[in-house]
Structure formats: structure tokens, C-alpha cells
Amino acid sequence: MSSRISIARPASGGYQPPPYQPDPHGFGNSRPSSGYRAANPDDPVEKFRVVAQQVEDNVEIYTQPLKPHLPAIGRFLIVVTFLEDSLRIITQWSDQLWYLQKHRHFPWGISHLFLLMNVITMIVGSGAVITKKHSEYAVGGLLGVVIIQAFGYGLIFDLNFFLRNLSVIGGLLMVFSDSMYTRKKLFAGLPSLSENDRKKYFLLAGRVLLIFLFIGFMIRGEWSIARLFVSIIGLAACVMVAVGFKAKWSAAFLVLMLSIFNVFINNFWSVHSQHPQRDFLKYDFFQTLSIVGGLILLVNMGPGGLSVDEKKKTY
């Protein structure tokens, strides 16, 4: 028996080949192609996209010399507020004890232990973050300091303090994300998140928390036209950081804006050393530096997997 397949002949005789089908299995796109349409250069959205791309390219170009040093700079700035705070406690030891015992009603020994534990944790934790030694434990210790001080000094219900410390926590989470390494499962048989999964969630949390400093800036102080203008631009950049849209560009912009704001608004060096406002300005100055450090780490690492920028690469 022949293995060939015979082709039917029409009744009129003569061989007629079957009609040509360019896509016999139907894998092609059945919809008619509309053709390539060039972007309209006069479209405002297209203009913004081009400008944003140019700015992002310039940020990438001009930060290249600093690129190898950005992680170290960011880490140092993040913990500088803890170093300043530990130095302030040491140099104002008696005043700190008086406040805790008189106004916070700490017992004599507990007040000493409270201050001593804070100083040791801040110095050791800051050194570990800067040197990248056991950063995960250092971040945990510094997070504990933020929480304990909020309750110990009775500032948990101070909105400005609360928002600022949320941003500091965001900076610490950026350090944690930068320091993450692959760990084996703690318990056999139990599911665990991979390093990349953990990192992208911590990056998302860090990005969102970092912007609370600017929200605190917006809700305090007297309003003016200049303040309104700066607030609108800054809020737009904060939203871009939070959702991870042009995150490197917006984070670099906030670094520049907060640095200028910090020098001109929190200029504690221009206030007399005996003036009570000096300590508040110094505290705000170094906390803002910590948040700038978190944004610098964001510029270096990028926004991570849970971001608009990353989704644009996928789709």
C-alpha cells in the first residue's frame, strides 16, 4: 500500500492545486494593521516624556563619577542623625536625666539605663551600617531606638516628629534592602520568600515611607505663593518616588530640593548656642540628611520590582 496521499481531481479533468493559504494554522494576527504612527512632537505628554528622558539621562551621566561612592554616602547620611543624637545625649547627660526623671517620671536607675542603652545602640548600630557589617541587626537596633525614644520622650503624638521618623524608618529600610543576602530556609518544609521578593517589598516600603518628611513640611508653617509652588512640585516628585515612576530622576530631584531646603531653613549654626531653638533646628537638619541618604540609596539601587519603571520594562 502506498503511503502517499492522493489529491482529488475535479470532474472537468486536469490537476488543480489547492489555493494558497499564507497562514493555514491561523497563528497570524487577524486584525488589520494600522501601520506605524510616529509620535506627535507637539503632544504635551510626548514633550514631557522627552524632557523627563533627557533629565534622567543627564542624572545617569553626571552621577557616574559618584556612582561607586553613592552607597557609602547614602549609608553615612542615613545614620548621621543617630550619631548626632548620641553625641547630644553624652554632652547633655545631666539635662537628659533631669527631663526624664522630672517630666517623664523615670525612676533614677531606669533613666540612666535608658540613656546608656540608646547611646550604645546608636553608636554601634551606626558603625555597623557604615562598615556594612551585620547591617540587618544594626537596622533592627536603630529601628528599636526610634520606637523607644518616641515613647520615652513622649513624642509619639507629635505629628511632625511622627512623620519625620517614618521617613527615617524608610531610610533604614533602604539600608536593609541594600544589605540583603540570600538566606536558606529557616525551617525545612516551610515556604520562604526569595531574596529578590523580599528586597522588592522592602524597597516599596522604604520608598513610600521616605516621602513622609515632605508631607510634614507641607502641613506646617505659613503658606505663601513660593511655598505653594514648591509644595506642588515636591508632592509630584514624592508621588513619582512612591509609585516608582521615573524614580531615579524624582529621587535625585528631591535630594537637590531637600539639600537646599535644609541649608536655608534648618540653619542651626546661625542661631546662638544658648538659644533653645538651636537644638530643634539641629535635630531637623540631621534628620533631613538621613532622609537624603535614603533617597541617594534609591538613586543607586533603583525602585525595585514593584514599580512603574520595572513594569514598563516587562510590558
Side-chain angles (χ1 to χ4, degrees), residues 88-103:
R88 180 176 54 85
I89 291 176
I90 294 172
T91 55
Q92 301 176 2
W93 185 265
S94 58
D95 294 336
Q96 294 286 326
L97 287 175
W98 178 85
Y99 176 81
L100 291 175
Q101 294 171 9
K102 184 73 174 179
H103 294 278

Side-chain angles (χ1 to χ4, degrees), residues 9-235:
R9 297 174 183 269
S12 58
Y15 171 69
Q16 299 256 343
Y20 172 70
Q21 297 181 2
D23 186 23
H25 300 291
F27 292 142
N29 188 358
S30 60
R31 293 177 298 177
S33 174
S34 58
Y36 173 76
R37 185 174 59 183
N40 182 8
D42 296 326
D43 185 2
V45 176
E46 181 63 22
K47 287 182 178 180
F48 173 78
R49 190 193 66 79
V50 171
V51 171
Q53 186 61 48
Q54 290 175 346
V55 172
E56 193 171 5
D57 292 341
N58 288 331
V59 169
E60 192 70 26
I61 292 170
Y62 290 112
T63 57
Q64 281 302 319
L66 288 173
K67 198 79 171 177
H69 309 290
L70 285 181
I73 294 173
R75 284 170 169 268
F76 174 74
L77 290 179
I78 285 172
V79 299
V80 73
T81 187
F82 296 100
L83 294 173
E84 187 277 331
D85 196 28
S86 60
L87 180 62
R88 180 176 54 85
I89 291 176
I90 294 172
T91 55
Q92 301 176 2
W93 185 265
S94 58
D95 294 336
Q96 294 286 326
L97 287 175
W98 178 85
Y99 176 81
L100 291 175
Q101 294 171 9
K102 184 73 174 179
H103 294 278
R104 300 300 300 162
H105 308 294
F106 274 52
W108 182 84
I110 300 299
S111 60
H112 290 73
L113 183 62
F114 177 82
L115 293 179
L116 185 62
M117 290 299 296
N118 273 273
V119 169
I120 293 175
T121 304
M122 287 190 289
I123 293 177
V124 174
S126 298
V129 167
I130 293 172
T131 59
K132 300 183 71 172
K133 302 292 185 181
H134 307 292
S135 297
E136 293 80 9
Y137 300 105
V139 168
L142 295 176
L143 284 174
V145 167
V146 172
I147 297 171
I148 290 172
Q149 285 193 356
F151 287 98
Y153 288 99
L155 298 172
I156 188 65
F157 298 111
D158 185 319
L159 183 59
N160 183 48
F161 175 87
F162 181 73
L163 293 175
R164 281 181 166 274
N165 277 276
L166 282 180
S167 291
V168 172
I169 291 173
L172 290 174
L173 290 180
M174 299 300 291
V175 172
F176 188 80
S177 301
D178 187 48
S179 305
M180 293 188 74
Y181 57 89
T182 305
R183 293 180 176 178
K184 295 182 178 180
K185 294 181 180 181
L186 297 178
F187 301 98
L190 293 179
S192 62
L193 291 173
S194 67
E195 178 190 5
N196 289 335
D197 289 334
R198 294 197 306 270
K199 186 172 183 178
K200 68 183 182 181
Y201 286 116
F202 279 111
L203 275 172
L204 173 63
R207 291 198 327 260
V208 173
L209 291 177
L210 278 174
I211 69 173
F212 279 96
L213 170 72
F214 197 83
I215 295 175
F217 162 75
M218 289 179 58
I219 64 177
R220 68 172 187 161
E222 297 181 359
W223 285 95
S224 63
I225 298 298
R227 184 183 179 87
L228 178 63
F229 179 73
V230 171
S231 296
I232 292 174
I233 295 178
L235 183 61

Side-chain angles (χ1 to χ4, degrees), residues 225-271:
I225 298 298
R227 184 183 179 87
L228 178 63
F229 179 73
V230 171
S231 296
I232 292 174
I233 295 178
L235 183 61
C238 287
V239 172
M240 292 170 68
V241 165
V243 301
F245 174 66
K246 300 292 182 183
K248 289 189 176 184
W249 173 85
S250 51
F253 174 77
L254 284 176
V255 166
L256 181 62
M257 175 183 281
L258 288 176
S259 299
I260 296 173
F261 160 81
N262 209 22
V263 170
F264 286 99
I265 303 298
N266 296 326
N267 52 347
F268 66 91
W269 53 86
S270 65
V271 180

